[in-house]
Structures are given as structure tokens and as C-alpha cells.
Amino acid sequence: MKKNLLFAASLLAVSGFMAACGTSDTAEEPTETTDTSEETADTAPEDTVEEALEEEVAEDVPAEEAVEEETEDSGSGTDATEDSPEEASGDVSEAVETEGTLTQSDEQAYELYVLPGYELTSEEPNKDSLYVAEDDSVFMRIETFTTEQLDFASAEETMKQTLNAVNPDAEAVEGQPLENSAVTNSSVYEVDSTEGTVTGITFEKEDLIVRLTIFDNEELNATEDFKRMGQTIERTE
């Protein structure tokens, strides 16, 4: 009986010791959990910052792509702008033909396009006058010849003499030749007068010699329009 009691007491002691050990192990585990939480707490802000940076980068990418697209579009606009001079460098007659009215001379064998605001009339034999409708003192005298009647050099010399007669005290200044693919020879001279600038133009176009004498003033400044219309002259016979 005593042996049995001792044996039971021993079992109780062992059970108590094991329980104490289990309690100690269990108590130590939360400490490890707490450490893990601290590590998680320490690393969480870093992960959050990295994620925020990644989101910012992701948001910036479309903006950069948009800038690239705008740059490409701007490039396209630049190309278009660069193409404009090529279109502008074409024959001036193309624009005049679109805006003007094809008009036949009553006295000479030619026709030309007349812009709005201008009128064509016969001045005297072999000479027409294309003038500004609101002021006929601003006009262009038109003379035409076949290459059999007159050569370019002779027509040019006569033009110089005409300008010298306009202002004997001034020498005519040579300007830029006409830029027109249909014109084979051309010369341009200018001289100042009391009324304004007088411009003399001589050019050869196929088998036609043309002399244009432009009387302009600073108020209307129609010389460029006269030049454009004059270059549309075509022989009709």
C-alpha cells in the first residue's frame, strides 16, 4: 500500500514537472511571435515606400509616353511646315489661275488671268493697260511680240531706255529675275519716279516676248500682283 502511494506521488511530481516545462515552452513562444511582429513592423514601412515608388513610376510612364507622342506630333507639324515652302515655290501662275478670271486681249494675241479688283483694256495699238479698278493711275502696260518680230536682247534694251526716260536723273536698278519654270529668259529693273516706283520686266515664254511696265505707288503697292498676273500671259495664235 505504501509502495502504491509513493508511486502515485512520483507520478504526480513528474506530471507537475512536465506541466511546468510545457508552460515555460508555451510562454517563450509568444516572445518569438512578438519578435516576428517587430520585424514585420520594421519592414512594413520599407515595403510601403517601395510600393509607393513603384506606383509613382507607373503613373509617370504614361506621362512620358504622352510627351513622346506630343513630340512626334510636333515633328509631324514641323514636317508640314517645312513642306509649305516647297508648295510656295511652285509657279505663281497656279494661284492666280485659281483666284483670277481668264481674259482675252482685244488688240493683241494673248490671254491672261486677271485678279479681282483689276481690269484690262486696250491703251493703243500693241499696248494694253491692266489697271487697279479704284485707281487707274496704278497700272501695268503690256506689250507682246513673237520671237520672229523681236528677240529678247532687243526687248530688254528698249525696256532700259523706257525706264531711263521715266527718270533721267536716276539709274535703273536690276532686280531678281522671275522664278517661273515656263519662262526661259527674264530681266527686272526698277527706277524711282515722282509718283512712285516704275518696274520694267522683260521675259521670254515659249515663242512669245513680253514687256511689262508697272507704274505703282506706295499707297496701293500693287507691283507683286501685276507680276503674278503678267506671268500668266499665254499666246492665243
Side-chain angles (χ1 to χ4, degrees):
M1 183 66 178
K2 290 180 179 180
K3 290 182 179 181
N4 291 333
L5 290 174
L6 289 173
F7 180 74
S10 298
L11 287 176
L12 289 172
V14 170
S15 300
F17 177 78
M18 294 296 293
C21 290
T23 302
S24 177
D25 293 339
T26 303
E28 291 175 0
E29 290 178 1
T31 303
E32 295 176 359
T33 303
T34 302
D35 294 340
T36 303
S37 300
E38 291 177 356
E39 291 176 1
T40 304
D42 291 340
T43 57
E46 295 178 359
D47 294 341
T48 302
V49 171
E50 291 177 358
E51 292 175 358
L53 289 174
E54 290 176 356
E55 291 177 357
E56 290 178 0
V57 171
E59 292 175 356
D60 289 341
V61 169
E64 293 176 358
E65 292 177 353
V67 171
E68 291 177 358
E69 291 176 358
E70 290 178 1
T71 303
E72 292 176 358
D73 293 340
S74 300
S76 299
T78 302
D79 292 341
T81 304
E82 291 174 355
D83 290 338
S84 297
E86 294 179 0
E87 296 175 359
S89 65
D91 291 344
V92 294
S93 59
E94 295 178 2
V96 178
E97 290 173 6
T98 301
E99 302 170 17
T101 301
L102 185 61
T103 305
Q104 170 71 48
S105 170
D106 293 333
E107 298 294 332
Q108 301 183 64
Y110 76 86
E111 61 185 7
L112 84 165
Y113 283 87
V114 177
L115 291 172
Y118 295 86
E119 296 183 13
L120 179 68
T121 187
S122 296
E123 184 178 334
E124 56 183 88
N126 205 44
K127 291 182 181 179
D128 291 339
S129 178
L130 178 63
Y131 62 92
V132 176
E134 65 181 36
D135 185 357
D136 59 7
S137 68
V138 177
F139 68 99
M140 177 172 69
R141 179 176 294 123
I142 303 173
E143 303 171 86
T144 62
F145 311 88
T146 66
T147 52
E148 296 177 354
Q149 294 173 321
L150 187 67
D151 60 38
F152 176 80
S154 299
E156 182 182 36
E157 184 59 32
T158 303
M159 177 58 71
K160 291 179 183 179
Q161 294 174 5
T162 300
L163 295 181
N164 289 335
V166 169
N167 188 353
D169 298 328
E171 183 177 355
V173 178
E174 186 173 5
Q176 292 293 325
L178 301 179
E179 295 182 358
N180 189 321
S181 60
V183 172
T184 54
N185 288 309
S186 70
S187 65
V188 178
Y189 290 89
E190 294 181 350
V191 67
D192 292 331
S193 70
T194 55
E195 290 78 17
T197 301
V198 179
T199 304
I201 301 172
T202 308
F203 68 86
E204 182 176 354
K205 190 176 185 182
E206 296 180 350
D207 59 347
L208 191 65
I209 300 294
V210 179
R211 272 204 314 247
L212 307 175
T213 311
I214 302 171
F215 298 84
D216 199 2
N217 61 37
E218 294 181 356
E219 181 180 354
L220 294 181
N221 195 23
T223 298
E224 290 305 316
D225 278 351
F226 284 131
K227 285 183 179 180
R228 293 166 62 203
M229 290 185 285
Q231 290 178 73
T232 67
I233 291 176
E234 298 283 351
R235 187 180 176 184
T236 55
E237 292 181 1

